[in-house]
């Protein structure tokens, strides 16, 4: 009996060591299996579709990939949209849209996906979530759009990005750039 007791204890210790080794190996393999986000191998230009942007803020909301491209499209009522793609897949849109005077940023934001339950800035000019933002320009006028205010809109596509702090910075930066652009007279 005294011979068997130590033998059982060694089997138990051996099984425990094997189990521990298996857990360590499994966790090591899962760490190498691509849990890290894909690398952002592209360079964001300081201007997208003719409007200056902060490349670091734009890159922060984009997914990983190898190449970036952008294209402008004209929408109804004088709105323009800059569509940004990563590796050919839609990733971000930057929109400039005229809305009737008297609207608030909160009501305008209801027209754009991703702004539900967004935070409203203290001055009421910006609404933003982790995936979208709307900003009211402060001094834009246009003879082509009398009695209208120009709004800037930023929306990320389904890229896994959801960062309210970065989106707030991006919508403020983009709105300021729109105010300084040719869109404002």
């Amino acid at each position: 009996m005294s011979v068997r007791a130590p033998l059982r204890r060694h089997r138990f210790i051996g099984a425990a060591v094997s189990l521990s080794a298996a857990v360590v190996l499994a966790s090591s393999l899962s760490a190498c299996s691509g849990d890290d986000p894909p690398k952002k191998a592209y360079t964001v230009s300081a201007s997208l579709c003719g409007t200056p942007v902060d490349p670091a803020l734009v890159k922060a909301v984009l997914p990983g990939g190898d190449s970036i491209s952008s294209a402008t499209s004209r929408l109804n009522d004088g709105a323009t949209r800059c569509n940004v793609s990563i590796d050919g897949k839609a990733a971000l849109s930057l929109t400039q849209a005229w809305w009737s005077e008297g609207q608030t940023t909160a009501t305008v934001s209801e027209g754009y996906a991703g702004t539900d339950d967004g935070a409203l800035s203290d001055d009421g000019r910006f609404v933003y979530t982790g995936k979208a933002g709307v900003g009211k320009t402060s001094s834009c006028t246009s003879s082509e759009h009398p009695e209208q205010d120009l709004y800037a809109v930023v929306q990320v596509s389904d890229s896994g990005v959801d960062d309210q702090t970065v989106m707030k910075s991006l919508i403020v930066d983009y709105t300021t750039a729109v105010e300084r652009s040719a869109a404002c007279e």
Side-chain angles (χ1 to χ4, degrees):
M1 205 172 209
S2 63
V3 173
R4 290 186 180 185
L7 188 57
R8 286 186 193 153
R9 191 178 81 195
H10 284 10
R11 284 185 188 158
F12 176 74
I13 291 171
V17 169
S18 295
L19 180 61
S20 296
V23 168
V24 168
L25 179 61
S27 64
S28 296
L29 289 175
S30 83
C32 297
S33 67
D35 287 346
D36 295 330
K39 183 179 177 185
K40 298 177 182 183
Y42 50 83
T43 301
V44 177
S45 172
S47 176
L48 290 175
C49 300
T51 303
V53 294
D54 180 335
L57 289 175
V58 172
K59 196 167 191 173
V61 301
L62 293 174
D66 294 320
S67 65
I68 185 172
S69 61
S70 62
T72 303
S73 59
R74 301 255 179 242
L75 308 174
N76 295 335
D77 303 325
T80 59
R81 178 173 291 144
C82 179
N83 297 304
V84 179
S85 298
I86 302 299
D87 296 339
K89 184 177 177 187
L92 175 71
S93 67
L94 306 160
T95 305
Q96 299 173 27
W98 293 93
W99 284 73
S100 301
E101 280 182 343
Q103 300 290 322
T104 67
T105 306
T107 58
V108 169
S109 70
E110 293 173 4
Y112 297 96
T115 59
D116 296 341
D117 300 321
L120 181 65
S121 64
D122 291 338
D123 62 4
R125 287 185 55 207
F126 303 97
V127 170
Y128 51 91
T129 66
K131 296 184 173 288
V134 176
K136 181 180 181 181
T137 60
S138 63
S139 59
C140 287
T141 60
S142 171
S143 57
E144 294 178 26
H145 303 281
E147 300 179 19
Q148 291 184 321
D149 293 318
L150 184 59
Y151 286 82
V153 182
V154 176
Q155 297 168 288
V156 295
S157 298
D158 188 25
S159 62
V161 175
D162 192 351
D163 189 329
Q164 192 174 34
T165 302
V166 171
M167 187 55 68
K168 178 183 180 184
S169 297
L170 180 57
I171 190 58
V172 169
D173 184 71
Y174 182 61
T175 303
T176 301
V178 170
E179 290 171 338
R180 296 179 185 150
S181 75
C184 293
E185 293 178 355

